[in-house]
Amino acid sequence: ALKVSHAFHSAHMDTMLAEFGEVAASCTFSKPRIAVVSNVTGKEASAEELQSPAYWVRHVREAVRFVDGMQRLSAMGVKSFVECGPRGVLCAMGAGCIDDTSARFIASHRKTQGELGSLRRAIGQVYVAGHALDWDVVVKELGGQWVDLPTYAFQRQRYWLDAKPGIADVTAAGLSPAEHP
């Protein structure tokens, strides 16, 4: 969790905005590869806007338009929402913002679970929701490796004993017969 002394998106942030703007101006921003719905406007943000330090200063200070953003995403046809944060709080809030009962809300981390296990579970849920994943990247990033399966037909052999119907003799175990098959 991020420990802060002031409430983000409130007037308490005014004293740090100039310094934050200087830090934001020193960052290198790239053009987004996917559409981004802004918490500041509740609408799609332009590439120019997202690459502007001034936008990020506004983002720290202005009210979050979470409901507007969720409704905009739903209107855009988004059905799967992945929360990239330390808890699943926004997933629960997001589910209450839209009327689409088929929408999936996936938390990438849970406070009570380990980070790697939570991330693996979230990736699995994204896949089950019908999204294509680059499994080479997923396996590599999670520290796994590909294992070749045999190219021959699997041999199948039964190892269970065949049970014989009837009353079992349990006297050898020091028990009396139960008269039950």
Side-chain angles (χ1 to χ4, degrees):
L2 178 63
K3 304 247 185 240
V4 295
S5 60
H6 296 82
F8 275 87
H9 311 290
S10 75
H12 293 289
M13 301 307 296
D14 288 347
T15 58
M16 59 78 74
L17 291 178
E19 184 179 352
F20 183 80
E22 291 173 15
V23 171
S26 72
C27 295
T28 302
F29 297 97
S30 299
K31 184 177 179 181
R33 291 185 274 170
I34 61 172
V36 175
V37 172
S38 169
N39 276 347
V40 175
T41 63
K43 301 174 187 169
E44 281 184 75
S46 68
E48 295 77 25
E49 188 176 20
L50 292 171
Q51 295 176 76
S52 164
Y55 168 80
W56 296 103
V57 172
R58 282 182 51 218
H59 189 273
V60 168
R61 174 59 180 89
E62 293 187 14
V64 174
R65 300 182 59 99
F66 187 75
V67 173
D68 294 338
M70 292 301 297
Q71 290 174 346
R72 176 68 186 131
L73 288 166
S74 182
M76 292 169 66
V78 174
K79 298 280 188 188
S80 298
F81 299 85
V82 179
E83 180 176 350
C84 300
R87 294 183 177 88
V89 177
L90 296 179
C91 283
M93 288 174 47
C97 294
I98 61 176
D99 294 328
D100 187 352
T101 57
S102 68
R104 290 183 158 237
F105 295 87
I106 301 165
S108 65
H109 186 66
R110 297 282 185 184
K111 182 179 177 181
T112 58
Q113 300 171 353
E115 289 181 12
L116 192 54
S118 292
L119 182 58
R120 285 180 178 146
R121 192 171 296 105
I123 290 169
Q125 290 175 326
V126 168
Y127 180 72
V128 168
H131 300 283
L133 297 175
D134 185 342
W135 286 109
D136 288 330
V137 172
V138 172
V139 169
K140 180 183 174 188
E141 291 298 319
L142 294 178
Q145 63 183 20
W146 288 107
V147 177
D148 290 329
L149 292 175
T151 57
Y152 56 86
F154 289 97
Q155 296 176 350
R156 299 188 187 278
Q157 184 174 356
R158 219 168 154 258
Y159 294 96
W160 296 99
L161 298 174
D162 290 324
K164 294 183 174 123
I167 297 174
D169 180 13
V170 291
T171 56
L175 300 172
S176 58
E179 306 299 327
H180 190 275

